[in-house]
Amino acid sequence: MELKISDYQFGERPEVTRPKPEVLTILGESGIRKLVDDHYNLLKNSDYSPLFPQEEEETSKLSVIKQRIKAADDLFSTAVSATC
């Protein structure tokens, strides 16, 4: 895959190739969550790691926030499924 950065005018929306919906079906919710976790772990171990909290206390705060977001997401998903 070749990634190319192109210049655009501010506010202009370039055409993009969207992923096929089958990807969501194949990965499922747990696969998508793992993909996102893996992505952030790679970022934390990259040259961009200074953008992320380095102290253990800050990292554990983020972990608690992440758990709360997942709980809220699970609750929302359950509510949506019940209405469908």
Side-chain angles (χ1 to χ4, degrees):
M1 173 186 285
E2 183 180 332
L3 300 175
K4 181 182 173 191
I5 298 175
S6 303
D7 291 325
Y8 288 94
Q9 292 284 38
F10 180 78
E12 184 178 329
R13 291 182 179 253
E15 289 187 31
V16 297
T17 303
R18 295 179 183 241
K20 295 181 179 182
E22 293 84 30
V23 170
L24 302 176
T25 305
I26 293 168
L27 288 177
E29 180 181 348
S30 62
I32 292 169
R33 288 181 187 274
K34 183 177 181 332
L35 179 73
V36 172
D37 283 343
D38 290 350
H39 170 76
Y40 281 109
N41 286 332
L42 287 170
L43 284 175
K44 284 192 283 188
N45 295 317
S46 73
D47 293 340
Y48 300 101
S49 63
L51 297 173
F52 296 90
Q54 301 299 310
E55 295 81 27
E56 185 61 36
E57 180 182 337
E58 291 297 315
T59 304
S60 63
K61 284 181 189 177
L62 288 175
S63 178
V64 169
I65 291 169
K66 185 178 174 182
Q67 289 171 359
R68 289 181 180 165
I69 290 171
K70 183 187 179 321
D73 183 54
D74 291 345
L75 181 63
F76 178 75
S77 295
T78 302
V80 169
S81 295
T83 60
C84 294

